[in-house]
Amino acid sequence: MYGFGIIKSLLLALQHFFGTYWDDFRYGRKRYKTPEGIAHRSSKNARGIFTIQYPEEKLPTPEEFRYIPFLLYEEGPNGEKVDRCTSCGICAKVCPPQCIWIVRSTEPVTGKPIPAPKEFYIDVDICMNCGLCAEYCPFDAIKMDHDYEISVYDRANNMYDKEKLSKPVSYYASIRPTNFVSEEKARKEVEAARAAAKAAQSTPSS
Ligand code: SF4
Ligand code: SF4
């Protein structure tokens, strides 16, 4: 029937309207600005219309959410930062808009290249958050961040340097716990296989 769809959509809007009051009645003040309320409104059980009171409250980001890449460093026993990056350049090669620049470290006397980044830049105005750099990095040294609150007044600040890009492995473990556990398991397996191969090579054959 002509117009039936319009009536149906209006009824649906009305249902959502009253559903909002029903959920407000059931959950009271807990519905807003509490982890429990946010979890409920993010779930399939939420009813009615709701508005996120950003920035006072924020929806939790899913683990696979990706924004700007960051570099991982291990925390040494004396608090020193040990970069995972070897400045191999693969991420810069695969980056579709070519927004990564790397300068490799060199040995001061001989000038020989050292597998560590001296400088590392990402132009976050150009980065399209595709995640290819993180996918291709053979050393798990670059990962996609969850932090999306990076607005600035001066765009000159959007050329992130190594200092700004670097975050500890513990931070990565906190935002992507499932990925972290599976990657660490794989890394340990590779290390164990390498150690076994080395031991086999050094064992004299009878
Ligand atoms: S982040 Fe990974 S892929 Fe990029 S230069 Fe460093 S080690 Fe290579
Ligand atoms: S997320 Fe994509 S666009 Fe951004 S730096 Fe990595 S590869 Fe380049």
Side-chain angles (χ1 to χ4, degrees), residues 108-167:
V109 181
T110 62
K112 282 185 180 170
I114 298 171
K118 184 177 172 210
E119 292 168 45
F120 199 114
Y121 298 98
I122 296 181
D123 187 337
V124 301
D125 278 337
I126 296 175
C127 173
M128 58 187 202
N129 323 111
C130 65
L132 284 181
C133 50
E135 288 290 323
Y136 278 88
C137 175
F139 301 98
D140 287 328
I142 188 166
K143 298 291 176 187
M144 302 305 288
D145 209 344
H146 280 186
D147 183 13
Y148 52 85
E149 295 177 310
I150 59 168
S151 302
V152 286
Y153 287 105
D154 183 358
R155 293 183 75 179
N157 293 325
N158 283 346
M159 181 66 80
Y160 284 19
D161 62 10
K162 183 168 163 267
E163 181 64 28
K164 193 161 182 181
L165 288 168
S166 295
K167 294 189 178 179

Side-chain angles (χ1 to χ4, degrees), residues 49-66:
I49 304 160
F50 63 84
T51 306
I52 292 297
Q53 308 292 332
Y54 184 84
E56 287 81 12
E57 61 171 358
K58 295 164 193 170
L59 287 180
T61 44
E63 181 161 344
E64 297 304 335
F65 177 80
R66 55 175 201 258

Side-chain angles (χ1 to χ4, degrees), residues 71 84-91 102 120 137-139 141-142:
L71 293 171
R84 275 193 181 178
C85 176
T86 63
S87 67
C88 69
I90 290 175
C91 55
I102 305 164
F120 199 114
C137 175
F139 301 98
I142 188 166

Side-chain angles (χ1 to χ4, degrees), residues 67-114:
Y67 205 49
I68 300 300
F70 67 100
L71 293 171
L72 275 69
Y73 65 79
E74 311 276 357
E75 290 154 297
N78 300 318
E80 70 271 26
K81 298 177 182 176
V82 183
D83 295 323
R84 275 193 181 178
C85 176
T86 63
S87 67
C88 69
I90 290 175
C91 55
K93 282 199 183 74
V94 298
C95 174
Q98 294 286 286
C99 63
I100 300 177
W101 291 272
I102 305 164
V103 178
R104 178 170 267 196
S105 301
T106 51
E107 212 281 317
V109 181
T110 62
K112 282 185 180 170
I114 298 171

